[in-house]
């Protein structure tokens, strides 16, 4: 390449980096947690929301080389780190609320021999923190925690609470229909 072409290439890279990069970067990246599964982050949605502006995050908030980023806790985010640099209730919805917006945790449907059974995160997180269930009773991954009713009656899975004292019992014939579409 002649020097002129190299100069032109450098000028282009300096003047239009974001628009260039925006076309070839990966949209979805995933942040793994041990406790509550993986969190999806969309580059494209964020490039819309903060302008096509890589330095808004790289490398002051998140290093572009992912292994250089530590695992952040929600406490650190509430104090303004990582996602919490913007998700503070002013620039964007707060990490103290809307857990579901980042942690895909809607209803979980189970196919069982006794009809479909449903677990609602919404109902349960009104009363319990994530750590009441994850990762001790359930790995935060759909389908990763198979249990039979016999095991639940001995305190596994839903039976950890649905024992007739913390919540209605898995043994009660009148209550099967609260969980199952029978
Ligand atoms: C709103 C914040 C934000 C903006 C703006 C942003 N990124 Fe990222 N980027 C992230 C996060 C978060 C990660 C994941 C970090 C991790 O996994 O530790 C990431 C990861 C990456 C990775 C590594 C992906 C991988 O899987 O190895 C590359 C490359 C990258 N970004 C490039 C860019 C470029 C180029 C731009 C501008 C066009 C940009 N990013 C804009 C937040 C952002
Ligand atoms: C803006 C997105 C966002 C919101 C909103 C959010 N989180 Fe997170 N959360 C994350 C990301 C990203 C991680 C993983 C961070 C890492 O590994 O670096 C995480 C990690 C966690 C963890 C594991 C680490 C720890 O702190 O123990 C728990 C538990 C958690 N979130 C619970 C919650 C709860 C409860 C809420 C609502 C009160 C919430 N999160 C709201 C993005 C979010
Ligand atoms: C540089 C600022 C900034 C950072 C850092 C940032 N966000 Fe956002 N995010 C925004 C803005 C602005 C919006 C749009 C406004 C809103 O929804 O409140 C948004 C919207 C979102 C949305 C809704 C749109 C969508 O993509 O579904 C999610 C989910 C989200 N952010 C997750 C995250 C996670 C997870 C992280 C950390 C890994 C993060 N954000 C870091 C600024 C940021
Ligand atoms: C009362 C118990 C309970 C609480 C509290 C709870 N979860 Fe879950 N969670 C579950 C169950 C049950 C599953 C499904 C596991 C399976 O299919 O084996 C699940 C699955 C998940 C998954 C995986 C979803 C998928 O589609 O793979 C994520 C992510 C998750 N939970 C995040 C959270 C977060 C974040 C919180 C706190 C805001 C939370 N959970 C609170 C019981 C709970
Ligand atoms: C607290 C909610 C809940 C209650 C109450 C409950 N179940 Fe279940 N049941 C489930 C879930 C969730 C599964 C699927 C578990 C899995 O796949 O890990 C299941 C699985 C089953 C299965 C297939 C597995 C096996 O043990 O053979 C049968 C049959 C069943 N339930 C019958 C019943 C009957 C009968 C009752 C009432 C006496 C009952 N269930 C009460 C939640 C419940
Ligand atoms: C950490 C304790 C805990 C675990 C684990 C748990 N539950 Fe619950 N659940 C409760 C409590 C407490 C209530 C509300 C009190 C009551 O109704 O007895 C409840 C209520 C419910 C309800 C009634 C919801 C409504 O709409 O009113 C259903 C259905 C249910 N749980 C299903 C499940 C299933 C399915 C599982 C297992 C996948 C499960 N629960 C695991 C504590 C738990």
């Amino acid at each position: 390449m002649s020097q002129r072409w190299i100069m032109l290439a450098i000028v282009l890279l300096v003047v239009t980096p974001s628009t260039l990069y925006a076309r070839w970067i990966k949209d979805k990246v995933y942040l793994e947690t041990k406790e509550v599964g993986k969190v999806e982050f969309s580059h494209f949605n964020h490039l819309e929301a903060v302008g096509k502006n890589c330095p808004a995050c790289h490398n002051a908030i998140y290093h572009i080389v992912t292994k250089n980023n530590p695992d952040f806790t929600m406490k650190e985010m509430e104090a303004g780190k990582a996602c919490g640099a913007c998700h503070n209730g002013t620039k964007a919805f707060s990490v103290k609320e809307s857990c579901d917006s980042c942690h895909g945790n809607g209803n979980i449907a189970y196919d069982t021999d006794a009809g479909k059974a449903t677990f609602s995160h919404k109902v349960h997180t009104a009363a319990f923190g994530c750590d009441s269930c994850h990762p001790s009773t359930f790995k935060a991954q759909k389908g990763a925690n198979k249990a039979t009713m016999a095991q639940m009656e001995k305190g596994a899975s839903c039976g950890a609470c649905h024992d007739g004292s913390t919540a209605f019992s898995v043994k009660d014939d009148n209550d099967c229909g609260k969980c199952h579409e029978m």
Side-chain angles (χ1 to χ4, degrees):
M1 257 204 285
S2 76
Q3 287 219 318
R4 235 177 359 135
W5 282 109
I6 292 170
M7 281 306 294
L8 184 60
I10 289 170
V11 166
L12 271 176
L13 280 172
V14 170
V15 173
T16 53
S18 310
T19 36
L20 278 180
Y21 289 149
R23 292 181 190 282
W24 56 258
I25 61 164
K26 230 185 324 189
D27 177 16
K28 304 246 161 76
V29 289
Y30 296 91
L31 296 111
E32 304 277 348
T33 76
K34 277 196 252 7
E35 301 87 347
V36 288
K38 57 186 175 195
V39 176
E40 186 178 286
F41 170 88
S42 162
H43 265 113
F44 292 176
N45 290 350
H46 280 85
L47 290 169
E48 287 297 320
V50 303
K52 293 196 165 59
N53 184 3
C54 317
C57 293
H58 300 305
N59 287 325
I61 299 175
Y62 272 105
H63 204 279
I64 207 158
V65 179
T66 55
K67 70 167 162 30
N68 291 353
N69 294 316
D71 286 338
F72 293 100
T73 62
M74 291 312 301
K75 258 212 169 64
E76 291 170 316
M77 290 192 216
E78 285 173 19
K81 288 222 166 153
C83 316
C86 304
H87 287 277
N88 54 11
T90 314
K91 291 190 193 160
F93 63 85
S94 167
V95 289
K96 293 185 189 162
E97 295 151 15
S98 340
C99 319
D100 305 15
S101 305
C102 294
H103 298 280
N105 57 347
N107 285 350
I108 306 278
Y110 296 85
D111 270 326
T112 83
D113 295 345
K116 191 176 114 180
T118 309
F119 171 83
S120 159
H121 267 106
K122 202 167 172 211
V123 165
H124 288 86
T125 53
F128 297 97
C130 317
D131 58 358
S132 301
C133 293
H134 299 304
S136 54
T137 312
F138 299 101
K139 268 192 247 162
Q141 192 193 327
K142 204 174 166 192
N145 308 275
K146 284 274 158 228
T148 61
M149 291 314 299
Q151 290 168 324
M152 288 189 211
E153 287 176 15
K154 293 195 190 115
S157 179
C158 317
C161 301
H162 288 276
D163 55 3
S165 112
T166 306
F168 61 87
S169 169
V170 289
K171 287 185 195 165
D172 191 333
D173 287 337
N174 297 319
D175 286 343
C176 314
K178 285 191 177 161
C179 294
H180 289 274
E181 281 171 23
M182 291 172 137

